[in-house]
């Protein structure tokens, strides 16, 4: 199978995105797909420089609008340099965070205006929509307990509990807005149970046929 497929994973830190992405990569490869894993911010050399600025916890002066524009600069580069060429080359692209994260963090979290987000999204993402998005949803308590062992926190991980709660709800709002594309997954389950839900959704979607 060499049909290209664009899959994104979303959700707060510790939701199990990296864990499920690794499992899905192995599964898709066993089905004969060429798989490219990528992430935002980052995913290109320029993007990784932007990622450094975004996650640097000494950048406490960053304005919400500057933050948003950096994410979209990263995304514009990522789409043109990495995502589109890979899809054209028949890859299944699995991306760890994409534009739904901007709606969750910058719109719901930072309370930026939705018209600003919509304008940027139209300019940058345009038709490059994922075929399917998995929103890994879990409680804040569980998120905090899972990431507590990870070492030093980055700039976003250091945000307040109320910010993180708004982000979680921002993701769920995106899922309401795009019910066909976004599958909400109960991320409180075991990794294998979660993966069963993901596979059921992929197989039920007919995308692999
Ligand atoms: N379903 C799960 N139940 C319990 N712990 C999990 C589960 N999935 C992942 N973890 C653990 O939680 C932590 C965060 O998982 P990770 O996949 O890195 O999340 P994310 O990429 O969304 O931040 C890791 O230590 C991982 O081993
Ligand atoms: Mg991760």
């Amino acid at each position: 199978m060499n049909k290209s497929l664009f899959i994104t994973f979303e959700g707060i830190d510790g939701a199990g995105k990296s864990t499920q992405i690794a499992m899905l990569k192995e599964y898709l490869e066993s089905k004969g797909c060429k798989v490219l894993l990528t992430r935002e911010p980052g995913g290109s050399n320029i993007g990784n420089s932007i990622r450094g600025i975004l996650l640097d916890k000494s950048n406490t002066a960053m304005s919400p609008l500057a933050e948003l524009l950096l994410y979209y600069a990263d995304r514009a580069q990522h789409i043109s340099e990495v995502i589109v060429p890979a899809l054209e080359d028949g890859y299944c692209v699995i991306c760890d965070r994409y534009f739904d994260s901007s709606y969750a963090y910058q719109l719901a979290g930072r309370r930026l205006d939705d018209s600003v987000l919509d304008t940027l999204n139209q300019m940058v993402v345009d038709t490059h929509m994922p075929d399917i998005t998995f929103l890994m949803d879990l409680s804040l308590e569980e998120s905090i307990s899972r990431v507590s062992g990870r070492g030093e926190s980055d700039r976003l991980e250091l945000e307040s509990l109320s910010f993180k709660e708004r982000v979680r709800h921002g993701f769920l709002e995106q899922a309401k807005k795009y019910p066909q594309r976004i599958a909400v997954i109960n991320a409180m389950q075991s990794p294998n149970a979660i993966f069963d839900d993901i596979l059921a959704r992929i197989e039920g979607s007919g995308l692999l046929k």
Side-chain angles (χ1 to χ4, degrees):
M1 213 205 80
N2 67 351
K3 187 184 160 212
S4 64
L5 206 55
F6 184 18
I7 302 172
T8 59
F9 278 77
E10 300 282 2
I12 57 179
D13 289 314
K17 299 181 293 300
S18 300
T19 304
Q20 297 298 322
I21 285 171
M23 292 168 84
L24 184 57
K25 176 177 191 278
E26 198 173 313
Y27 173 84
L28 290 173
E29 284 175 343
S30 78
K31 294 278 174 193
C33 301
K34 299 188 288 181
V35 177
L36 179 82
L37 296 189
T38 188
R39 67 171 179 183
E40 288 193 357
S44 68
N45 281 339
I46 292 168
N48 278 322
S49 301
I50 298 173
R51 180 184 180 92
I53 301 171
L54 281 166
L55 300 186
D56 184 345
K57 62 182 184 336
S58 68
N59 282 335
T60 51
M62 193 181 301
S63 80
L65 190 55
E67 179 181 280
L68 176 73
L69 293 170
L70 284 168
Y71 275 109
Y72 272 90
D74 166 60
R75 186 159 299 133
Q77 187 66 31
H78 192 208
I79 290 169
S80 70
E81 186 182 332
V82 178
I83 295 174
V84 168
L87 291 172
E88 283 174 353
D89 204 15
Y91 277 83
C92 287
V93 175
I94 307 179
C95 190
D96 189 336
R97 298 190 178 284
Y98 194 49
F99 74 87
D100 297 303
S101 277
S102 293
Y103 280 77
Y105 286 82
Q106 279 72 49
L107 184 108
R110 302 276 185 231
R111 299 192 164 115
L112 282 169
D113 197 281
D114 57 355
S115 66
V116 178
L117 268 284
D118 290 345
T119 303
L120 276 175
N121 218 60
Q122 223 158 26
M123 281 170 60
V124 173
V125 174
D126 190 27
T127 57
H128 305 298
M129 293 291 274
D131 294 298
I132 191 162
T133 297
F134 294 103
L135 168 55
M136 312 289 293
D137 182 56
L138 86 172
S139 69
L140 233 51
E141 296 71 34
E142 180 67 14
S143 152
I144 289 162
S145 112
R146 288 192 197 172
V147 298
S148 61
R150 256 185 193 171
E152 255 190 276
S153 299
D154 66 41
R155 194 177 59 90
L156 278 303
E157 285 167 350
L158 288 167
E159 277 294 339
S160 66
L161 275 183
S162 58
F163 175 85
K164 290 177 181 171
E165 199 62 74
R166 291 201 299 280
V167 170
R168 180 188 181 193
H169 287 284
F171 275 125
L172 293 169
E173 285 302 310
Q174 279 297 98
K176 273 196 214 146
K177 207 162 118 188
Y178 298 102
Q180 298 292 335
R181 173 175 63 85
I182 302 182
V184 181
I185 304 292
N186 173 9
M188 305 289 280
Q189 308 172 84
S190 71
N192 284 335
I194 294 170
F195 191 60
D196 286 346
D197 283 357
I198 289 174
L199 276 198
R201 188 68 187 228
I202 288 188
E203 279 161 6
S205 70
L207 287 168
L208 276 184
K209 300 226 172 70

